[in-house]
C-alpha cells in the first residue's frame, strides 16, 4: 500500500473549527488561502522573507508560509479576517486606514497582524534590538518610532508605506494603553 | 424613479484628504487580489524555467511527469498552441518573450521552458521540480561594464540629442567635471507576485489578472491569440503593487493557453524567484557626465552618455542620458543613450525609467560642480534655470523648481549649512546634508469613461483605470464628486474591467491625469443633462466621454513636474554603515487631488530613492549567467528599520493645460532622491560615491574623511 500523503485535521481559525483533509505538503498559508478561502493572508515570497503571510498562532506572530498545515492542528490561529469586531475595526486597522498606512494593501494584513504582536510583545516587556536598556529592572521600554521600526522590520512593504505604518502602530499602541 | 439634482451644489472634494475608498476592504483582508478570486474546477499551473543561459532545448521528459498524481498536462515548445507576436500593441511591439513556448531556443537563464498544470498547486509544484529538461548549451555573455564592446546607439526618438558644440564649450570652461557613475540591476518586486486566472465562458475569454491596464492586456491577448477583441475580458480589481512590471507577461499567456487546451479555468502564479526572471527589471547603467561652467557657475556644456543592457530578443532602452534635457540652460547640450545586447531577460519600465538612474548621475555631477565653483548647490541650480526648454526651445507649461528649493531650504534649515565636507561628528557618525533636483514628464493619453445617475440618487462611474496602490480609485471618486457637485459618498467608482471601454494604463505618472479628465468630462455632461430635469429611468441615465480629441489638440510644450530633494546622512566610516536620518521632498507636481494618498505616494517614491542609494543590487553570476540570491533575502530593498521619518509636501502648481490641473505624482518621488543621499554622504565624509548602492564595503574602501 502506498503511504498516505494526506491527513484529515481540524484547524481552529478565528475561533471557528474547520475539518478538512490536506496534502501533507500544504502550508498553513495555502490551507488558509486555497482550502478555507481565507485569502486575506497574503503570499509575497512563500519562503519566510517578507512577512506578508503573518498570522497569530496562539497569540504569537508567525509566518504561515513556513508552517505546515498539519503542524497547526490544535493551535488558535488568528488571521486578518478575525481581527475586527464585526463591523467595528480594531484600533490597529483603524489607524492604518486613517493614517494611510498602506498603498497597494498587499503587505497590509501581514503588517496589521504583526503590529498586534508587536503591541503585545512590547506590553509584556520584551526588548528588541533597538532597546537601549535591556535589564529586567529597566521595565517596559518606551515604544518609540525607533522601537516600532525595529520590531516591524520583518514585514516588507514595497510601496514604501513605512513612515505611516510607524505612525499607525504608535497611535494604535497609545489607544490600547489608554483603554487598559 | 427619483429626480436627483438637489438645490445646493457640493464641491471641494478635490484637494481635501480622504481615506481610500477601498481602505476598509484592504485592512480587513476582504479585498481580493488576482490569485484570490475563487473558481469552480480550477487547475493550477506551475512554471519551469531554464537553468542554462544560452542554448537549445534538446528534450523535455514530459511523460514521467504526466504520470505523477494530479498532473493534467505539460505544456512546452513541442505541444504548445501557436501564437503570433508580430503585432503592434498600445506600447508598441511586444517583447517576444510573451510568445512563450514557440521555440526550442534559450536566450537567457530563467527563460520559460514548460508549464505543469495539475489539480492542486502542491502537485503542480512537485511535478515542476521533477521535470527533466535536457539542453544543448552554448556559451553565454552577461558581462556588462562601461565601454562594453558591441554597444550601439539605437534608432528612434531621443536616443541622441545635440545642441551647440559641447567640445568647444568644455574647452572654454573654467570649471569642468568629468566623472563616471553606475547604477546596478534593480528589480520592482511588487509584494504581490504576478498571477492570472483564465477561463472560457460562453465563447468569451475571461482573465482575472494583476496589471497596470486591463484595456492594454485584453488588447494584447486578443492580438497574440488572434481573437476577436470583443471576446476578451480582462479584470484587475486590486493590484498588489506594479511599478512598471505588470504588463503582458508569460503568466497571462500561459493561463490562456492552458485554459484553452484543458477547457477549464487555470491559474498561473509566479514564485518570488521566478519574478526575478520573468517580469522585467531596471537595467544596470554605466554613465559618463561632463559639465563645463563659468566661474559664476553658469553652464556652458552638459554632456551625458548612458549605457544600458537589453536582451538578445528585444530592445528596451533605459534612457538615463535624457534626464538633463529639460533641466538646465547651457550653451551646448549633448546626450546619448546606448545599449548592448546580452544573454539576459529583457529589462522594462521601472518607476521613473531613465530619470531614476539619470538623475543620480547628473545631480551628483552638479554637486561636484558646485564644489569646484565654491557655490551653494541650490544657488548653482537656480543660476541655470532656463527660460524655455534648453534643447527644444519650447515654452514650459509651468515650472516651479525654484519655488520647491526655496520652500525646502526653509523647512530643512539649509541656510545654516556649513558647506565644508567631513567636519560634523555625532559620536561614531559623520554627518552631512545634500540636495538634488527632480523632474518627470507630464503625460496624458486618451481614455473613455462613463457616468451613470442611478434612480436611488447615487452615481456609478466606470473606467478601465487601474489602482496599483496609487489611490486612483479614490482620486477619481473625488474628481467625479466635484464634477457632479455631490458628496463623494454618493459615488461608486468601478475600475479595471476591459468591458468598460478603452482607457490608458497606470504608467508614466499619467493614470490619474488621463482618467480624471475622462471622468470629469462624463460627470459634467451628466450633471448638465440632469439639470434639464426629468426622471431617471430604472436602468439609470448614462453618459460616456472620450478625451481623444481634446488631448490631440494640446499644443506642444515642455510639460514637467519638478521637485527638490533634501537628505541628511550619517556615515560610520569604520563599519561602512550609512544611515539616512531624514529626508524632505518639496514638489511642484500639479494640483494634488487627495493630499493623504498623494503624500503616501511621494514618500513611497523617496523611500525607493533611499533604497536605490543604499541597498538594491541584483547580482548576476558570470559563470551561470543567472542571479545570485534571487529572493527577498538576497535582494534587499529598504525595510522599516532602514527608513527614517520622511516628509513630502508641495507648492501650488496647477497644470495650465489640464482641466483639473493635474500633472502626476507616481514617479517624481524617486527622481533625484538617491543623488541627494549620495551628496549628503560626500558632505559627511568628503568622499564621492559614484557607484550605487553605497554599500558598507565601498564606504570602508573609500577611507576616512579628507577634510
Ligand atoms: S509569504 Fe511568508 S514570509 Fe513571505
Ligand atoms: S502597501 Fe503595497 S506593499 Fe505595502
Amino acid at each position: 500500500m502506498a503511504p498516505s500523503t494526506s491527513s484529515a485535521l481540524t484547524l481552529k481559525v478565528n475561533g471557528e473549527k474547520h475539518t478538512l483533509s490536506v496534502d501533507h505538503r500544504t502550508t498553513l498559508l495555502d490551507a488558509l488561502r486555497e482550502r478555507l478561502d481565507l485569502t486575506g493572508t497574503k503570499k509575497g515570497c512563500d519562503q519566510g522573507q517578507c512577512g506578508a503571510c503573518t498570522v497569530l498562532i496562539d497569540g504569537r506572530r508567525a509566518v504561515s508560509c513556513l508552517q505546515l498545515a498539519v503542524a497547526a492542528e490544535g493551535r488558535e490561529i488568528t488571521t486578518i479576517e478575525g481581527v475586527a469586531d464585526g463591523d467595528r475595526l480594531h484600533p490597529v486597522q483603524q489607524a492604518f486606514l486613517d493614517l494611510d498606512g498602506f498603498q497597494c494593501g498587499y503587505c497590509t494584513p501581514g503588517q496589521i497582524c504583526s503590529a498586534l504582536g508587536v503591541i503585545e510583545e512590547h506590553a509584556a516587556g520584551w526588548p528588541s534590538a533597538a532597546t537601549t536598556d535591556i535589564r529586567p529592572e529597566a521595565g517596559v521600554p518606551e515604544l518609540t518610532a525607533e522601537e516600532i521600526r525595529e520590531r516591524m522590520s520583518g514585514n516588507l512593504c514595497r510601496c514604501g508605506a513605512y513612515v505611516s505604518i510607524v505612525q499607525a502602530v504608535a497611535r494604535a499602541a497609545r489607544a490600547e494603553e489608554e483603554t487598559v | 424613479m427619483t429626480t436627483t439634482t438637489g438645490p445646493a451644489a457640493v464641491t471641494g472634494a478635490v484637494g481635501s484628504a480622504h481615506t481610500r475608498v477601498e481602505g476598509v476592504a484592504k485592512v480587513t483582508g476582504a479585498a481580493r487580489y488576482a490569485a484570490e478570486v475563487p473558481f469552480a474546477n480550477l487547475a493550477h499551473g506551475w512554471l519551469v524555467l531554464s537553468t542554462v543561459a544560452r542554448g537549445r532545448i534538446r528534450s523535455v521528459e514530459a511523460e514521467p511527469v504526466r504520470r505523477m498524481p494530479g498532473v493534467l498536462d505539460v505544456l512546452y515548445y513541442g505541444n504548445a498552441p501557436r501564437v503570433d507576436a508580430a503585432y503592434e500593441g498600445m506600447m508598441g511591439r511586444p517583447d517576444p518573450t510573451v510568445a512563450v513556448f514557440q521555440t526550442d531556443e534559450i536566450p537567457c537563464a530563467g527563460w520559460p521552458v514548460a508549464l505543469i498544470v495539475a489539480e492542486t498547486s502542491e502537485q503542480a509544484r512537485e511535478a515542476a521540480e521533477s521535470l527533466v529538461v535536457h539542453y544543448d548549451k552554448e556559451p553565454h555573455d552577461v558581462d556588462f561594464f562601461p565601454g562594453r564592446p558591441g554597444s550601439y546607439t539605437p534608432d528612434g526618438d531621443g536616443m541622441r540629442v545635440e545642441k551647440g558644440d559641447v567640445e568647444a564649450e568644455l574647452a572654454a570652461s573654467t570649471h569642468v567635471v568629468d566623472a563616471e557613475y553606475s547604477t546596478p540591476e534593480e528589480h520592482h518586486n511588487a509584494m504581490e507576485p504576478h498571477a492570472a486566472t483564465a477561463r472560457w465562458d460562453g465563447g468569451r475569454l475571461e482573465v482575472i489578472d494583476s496589471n497596470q491596464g486591463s484595456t492594454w492586456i485584453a488588447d494584447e491577448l486578443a492580438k497574440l491569440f488572434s481573437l476577436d477583441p470583443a471576446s476578451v475580458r480582462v479584470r484587475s480589481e486590486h493590484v498588489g503593487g506594479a511599478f512598471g512590471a505588470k504588463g503582458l507577461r508569460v503568466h497571462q499567456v500561459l493561463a490562456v493557453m492552458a485554459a484553452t487546451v484543458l477547457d477549464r479555468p487555470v491559474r498561473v502564479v509566479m514564485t518570488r524567484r521566478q519574478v526575478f526572471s520573468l517580469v522585467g527589471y531596471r537595467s544596470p547603467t554605466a554613465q559618463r557626465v561632463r559639465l563645463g561652467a563659468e566661474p559664476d557657475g553658469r553652464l556652458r556644456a552638459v554632456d551625458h552618455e548612458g549605457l544600458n543592457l537589453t536582451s538578445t530578443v528585444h530592445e528596451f532602452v533605459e534612457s538615463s542620458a535624457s534626464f538633463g534635457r529639460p533641466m538646465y540652460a547651457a550653451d551646448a547640450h549633448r546626450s546619448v543613450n546606448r545599449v548592448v545586447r546580452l544573454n539576459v531577460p529583457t529589462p522594462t519600465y521601472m518607476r521613473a525609467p531613465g530619470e531614476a538612474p539619470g538623475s543620480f548621475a547628473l545631480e551628483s555631477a552638479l554637486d561636484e560642480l558646485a564644489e569646484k565653483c565654491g557655490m551653494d548647490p541650490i544657488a548653482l541650480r537656480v543660476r541655470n534655470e532656463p527660460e524655455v526648454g534648453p534643447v527644444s526651445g519650447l515654452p514650459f507649461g509651468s515650472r516651479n523648481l525654484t519655488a520647491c528649493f526655496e520652500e525646502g531650504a526653509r523647512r530643512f534649515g539649509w541656510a545654516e549649512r556649513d558647506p565644508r565636507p567631513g567636519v560634523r561628528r555625532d559620536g561614531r557618525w559623520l554627518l552631512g546634508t545634500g540636495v538634488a533636483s527632480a523632474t518627470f514628464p507630464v503625460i496624458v493619453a486618451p481614455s473613455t469613461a462613463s457616468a451613470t445617475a442611478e434612480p436611488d440618487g447615487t452615481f456609478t462611474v466606470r473606467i478601465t483605470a487601474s489602482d496599483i496602490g496609487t489611490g486612483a480609485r479614490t482620486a477619481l471618486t473625488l474628481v467625479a464628486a466635484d464634477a457632479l457637485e455631490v458628496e463623494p459618498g454618493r459615488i461608486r467608482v468601478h475600475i479595471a474591467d476591459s468591458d468598460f471601454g478603452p482607457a490608458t494604463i497606470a504608467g508614466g505618472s499619467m493614470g490619474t491625469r488621463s482618467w480624471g479628465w475622462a471622468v470629469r468630462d462624463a460627470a459634467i455632461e451628466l450633471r448638465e443633462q440632469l439639470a434639464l430635469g426629468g426622471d431617471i429611468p430604472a436602468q439609470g441615465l448614462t453618459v460616456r466621454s472620450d478625451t481623444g480629441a481634446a488631448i490631440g489638440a494640446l499644443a506642444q510644450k515642455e510639460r514637467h513636474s519638478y521637485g527638490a530633494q533634501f537628505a541628511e546622512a550619517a556615515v560610520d566610516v569604520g563599519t561602512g554603515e550609512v544611515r539616512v536620518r531624514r529626508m524632505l521632498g518639496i514638489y511642484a507636481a500639479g494640483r494634488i487631488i487627495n493630499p493623504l494618498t498623494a503624500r503616501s505616494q511621494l514618500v513611497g517614491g523617496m523611500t525607493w530613492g533611499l533604497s536605490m542609494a543604499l541597498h538594491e543590487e541584483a547580482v548576476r553570476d558570470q559563470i551561470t549567467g543567472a542571479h545570485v540570491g534571487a529572493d527577498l533575502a538576497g535582494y534587499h530593498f529598504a525595510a522599516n528599520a532602514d527608513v527614517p521619518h520622511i516628509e513630502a509636501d508641495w507648492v501650488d502648481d496647477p497644470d495650465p493645460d489640464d482641466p483639473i490641473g493635474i500633472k502626476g505624482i507616481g514617479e517624481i518621488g524617486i527622481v533625484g532622491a538617491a543623488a541627494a543621499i549620495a551628496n549628503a554622504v560626500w558632505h559627511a565624509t568628503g568622499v564621492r560615491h559614484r557607484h550605487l548602492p553605497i554599500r558598507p564595503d565601498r564606504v570602508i574602501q573609500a577611507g576616512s574623511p579628507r577634510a
Side-chain angles (χ1 to χ4, degrees):
Chain A
M1 207 177 76
S4 157
T5 57
S6 64
S7 296
L9 80 162
T10 302
L11 287 178
K12 200 164 165 209
V13 186
N14 303 328
E16 227 181 280
K17 285 190 174 151
H18 304 265
T19 302
L20 65 163
S21 159
V22 299
D23 189 317
H24 292 156
R25 297 166 293 191
T26 306
T27 60
L28 175 58
L29 175 60
D30 283 342
L32 292 169
R33 284 168 63 83
E34 292 181 16
R35 302 298 307 283
L36 302 181
D37 198 32
L38 290 169
T39 55
T41 307
K42 303 304 181 198
K43 185 187 286 188
C45 69
D46 214 13
Q47 47 189 14
Q49 297 171 339
C50 76
C53 64
T54 304
V55 297
L56 299 171
I57 301 181
D58 294 334
R60 301 262 303 265
R61 45 189 178 144
V63 284
S64 58
C65 68
L66 291 189
Q67 177 90 227
L68 290 171
V70 287
E73 183 154 40
R75 321 279 301 269
E76 292 278 347
I77 298 155
T78 305
T79 69
I80 187 69
E81 288 92 346
V83 171
D85 177 7
D87 279 347
R88 245 196 42 236
L89 294 180
H90 185 281
V92 173
Q93 292 172 311
Q94 192 67 49
F96 269 73
L97 179 66
D98 292 343
L99 296 171
D100 210 37
F102 58 96
Q103 292 173 46
C104 76
Y106 198 78
C107 72
T108 312
Q111 303 277 2
I112 289 171
C113 287
S114 205
L116 293 170
V118 165
I119 292 169
E120 286 274 305
E121 291 157 22
H122 169 257
W126 295 15
S128 81
T131 308
T132 38
D133 190 348
I134 58 165
R135 291 168 307 142
E137 60 270 30
V140 176
E142 197 194 332
L143 196 57
T144 58
E146 217 39 50
E147 282 276 4
I148 295 171
R149 286 183 192 122
E150 173 61 31
R151 292 167 189 256
M152 289 296 292
S153 275
N155 292 80
L156 295 174
C157 173
R158 186 48 158 168
C159 294
Y162 299 125
V163 171
S164 25
I165 289 171
V166 171
Q167 290 169 340
V169 176
R171 178 185 283 189
R174 267 199 313 275
E176 207 104 313
E177 258 168 47
E178 278 155 24
T179 58
V180 179
Chain B
M1 303 229 169
T2 339
T3 33
T4 44
T5 39
V10 185
T11 55
V14 167
S16 49
H18 284 259
T19 59
R20 290 170 201 260
V21 293
E22 79 286 10
V24 169
K26 283 182 174 173
V27 299
T28 57
R32 285 188 189 262
Y33 294 74
E36 300 168 355
V37 178
F39 281 89
N41 202 28
L42 180 70
H44 297 261
W46 202 285
L47 265 154
V48 179
L49 308 188
S50 74
T51 53
V52 305
R54 190 168 156 240
R56 276 180 189 280
I57 302 170
R58 195 188 320 141
S59 64
V60 174
E61 305 289 332
E63 286 321 308
V65 161
R66 281 183 200 280
R67 290 194 293 271
M68 290 178 69
V71 172
L72 298 165
D73 208 346
V74 181
L75 291 177
Y76 65 107
Y77 81 95
N79 64 359
R82 297 294 101 184
V83 294
D84 184 4
Y87 63 85
E88 282 283 325
M90 265 172 80
M91 310 286 286
R93 296 284 279 216
D95 176 351
T97 306
V98 299
V100 68
F101 305 162
Q102 303 296 297
T103 161
D104 59 351
E105 255 175 84
I106 306 290
C108 63
W111 182 258
V113 296
L115 182 81
I116 311 289
V117 192
E119 294 288 350
T120 70
S121 59
E122 290 82 11
Q123 291 166 337
R125 178 180 185 173
E126 180 152 351
E129 285 167 3
S130 311
L131 182 73
V132 175
V133 180
H134 295 288
Y135 302 94
D136 288 321
K137 258 180 93 164
E138 287 162 37
H140 62 261
D141 183 354
V142 299
D143 201 7
F144 179 81
F145 52 89
R148 163 77 220 210
S151 65
Y152 61 95
T153 302
D155 302 330
D157 266 8
M159 289 300 131
R160 180 189 192 95
V161 164
E162 267 187 281
K163 183 198 93 171
D165 187 340
V166 160
E167 298 303 335
E169 296 296 337
L170 281 170
S173 293
T174 311
H175 300 295
V176 173
V177 170
D178 180 354
E180 291 189 18
Y181 302 86
S182 71
T183 61
E185 177 177 329
E186 295 159 350
H187 286 257
H188 312 74
N189 273 318
M191 287 308 302
E192 178 205 23
H194 293 53
T197 309
R199 71 158 169 189
W200 285 94
D201 185 25
R204 288 197 87 196
L205 175 65
E206 265 203 72
V207 180
I208 302 291
D209 188 24
S210 175
N211 68 46
Q212 290 176 242
S214 289
T215 300
W216 177 30
I217 303 306
D219 178 66
E220 301 262 340
L221 287 173
K223 286 177 167 140
L224 191 66
F225 286 94
S226 308
L227 300 168
D228 170 11
S231 70
V232 181
R233 183 184 190 189
V234 175
R235 282 177 289 169
S236 176
E237 163 104 48
H238 295 291
V239 181
F243 314 113
K246 284 187 175 160
L248 185 72
R249 292 288 162 194
V250 295
H251 66 298
Q252 297 119 330
V253 179
L254 287 170
V256 173
M257 270 189 187
T260 307
V261 170
L262 294 169
D263 197 21
R264 63 187 275 191
V266 176
R267 175 178 295 156
V268 178
V269 184
M270 291 185 195
T271 66
R272 177 56 58 188
R273 280 180 176 277
Q274 291 171 348
V275 164
F276 276 85
S277 293
L278 294 176
V279 308
Y281 56 93
R282 195 197 303 283
S283 165
T285 69
Q287 304 178 56
R288 182 181 179 198
V289 178
R290 292 188 297 167
L291 301 175
E294 298 282 329
D296 66 355
R298 198 181 58 77
L299 283 165
R300 297 186 71 122
V302 174
D303 182 31
H304 194 163
E305 203 171 296
L307 172 67
N308 70 115
L309 57 70
T310 191
S311 68
T312 55
V313 300
H314 191 65
E315 187 181 82
F316 179 86
V317 184
E318 179 81 25
S319 34
S320 50
S322 311
F323 168 78
R325 289 174 192 164
M327 280 308 276
Y328 301 111
D331 300 309
H333 267 267
R334 181 178 159 276
S335 49
V336 184
N337 293 295
R338 297 177 65 79
V339 63
V340 61
R341 288 177 178 266
L342 298 174
N343 296 114
V344 293
T346 315
T348 193
Y349 314 95
M350 177 163 150
R351 206 169 197 173
E355 281 81 6
S359 64
F360 166 66
L362 189 65
E363 293 297 318
S364 295
L366 275 162
D367 208 62
E368 301 196 34
L369 183 63
E371 182 192 355
K372 288 204 163 152
C373 298
M375 270 181 91
D376 178 79
I378 295 178
L380 176 68
R381 287 167 172 88
V382 172
R383 171 135 322 149
N384 289 291
E385 267 288 291
E387 292 292 322
V388 293
V391 176
S392 69
L394 291 170
F396 285 103
S398 71
R399 182 175 169 112
N400 284 306
L401 177 61
T402 305
C404 294
F405 274 116
E406 281 166 3
E407 175 64 8
R410 189 184 64 73
R411 286 174 52 169
F412 197 76
W414 190 258
E416 288 87 68
R417 181 181 190 252
D418 177 345
R420 292 173 303 154
V423 295
R424 289 150 299 273
R425 230 176 222 292
D426 172 13
R428 67 189 173 101
W429 300 99
L430 287 163
L431 305 182
T433 51
V435 287
S437 303
T439 188
F440 196 80
V442 174
I443 314 172
V444 66
S447 292
T448 66
S450 74
T452 302
E454 308 288 357
D456 66 358
T458 65
F459 298 87
T460 308
V461 170
R462 291 183 177 82
I463 182 160
T464 316
S466 175
D467 192 332
I468 56 179
T470 56
R473 196 188 267 102
T474 311
L476 296 176
T477 306
L478 305 184
V479 166
D482 279 2
L484 288 162
E485 301 181 350
V486 303
E487 295 285 352
R490 281 168 67 188
I491 298 166
R492 264 176 316 265
V493 174
H494 295 306
I495 61 167
D497 180 339
S498 62
D499 274 3
F500 293 164
T504 194
I505 59 163
S509 295
M510 69 171 158
T512 297
R513 179 173 183 220
S514 305
W515 306 319
W517 195 327
V519 165
R520 180 179 180 274
D521 280 4
I524 287 178
E525 202 191 320
L526 179 61
R527 172 166 51 82
E528 286 168 358
Q529 285 199 18
L530 292 171
L532 301 174
D535 285 345
I536 295 173
Q539 75 275 18
L541 178 65
T542 297
V543 165
R544 292 197 60 84
S545 66
D546 182 343
T547 58
I551 288 168
L554 282 173
Q556 266 218 327
K557 277 186 193 173
E558 290 275 6
R559 290 191 175 82
H560 307 272
S561 295
Y562 296 93
Q565 306 274 14
F566 293 78
E568 178 176 347
V571 185
D572 180 338
V573 290
T575 63
E577 188 179 4
V578 178
R579 302 283 304 172
V580 175
R581 290 199 168 182
R582 60 185 173 126
M583 291 174 84
L584 169 69
I586 303 289
Y587 302 92
R591 184 141 178 233
I592 299 302
I593 303 301
N594 184 357
L596 181 69
T597 56
R599 190 164 276 117
S600 293
Q601 221 181 344
L602 293 166
V603 169
M606 294 166 74
T607 303
W608 272 54
L610 183 157
S611 195
M612 174 183 174
L614 302 183
H615 305 303
E616 293 184 41
E617 178 174 34
V619 179
R620 246 172 219 289
D621 173 25
Q622 300 296 318
I623 308 283
T624 62
H627 284 126
V628 179
D631 57 39
L632 297 179
Y635 185 90
H636 181 68
F637 62 77
N640 205 323
D642 296 314
V643 179
H645 190 63
I646 297 178
E647 275 182 79
D649 216 333
W650 42 86
V651 298
D652 196 36
D653 176 55
D655 187 279
D657 297 319
D658 183 85
I660 309 169
I662 301 174
K663 281 188 169 180
I665 54 170
E667 283 153 289
I668 188 143
I670 186 178
V671 183
I677 292 168
N679 294 340
V681 169
W682 167 78
H683 189 230
T685 63
V687 179
R688 290 284 173 193
H689 284 270
R690 302 186 181 94
H691 306 284
L692 295 185
I694 308 175
R695 296 188 312 248
D697 60 305
R698 287 179 162 153
V699 175
I700 290 169
Q701 270 173 17
S704 296
R706 295 188 310 229

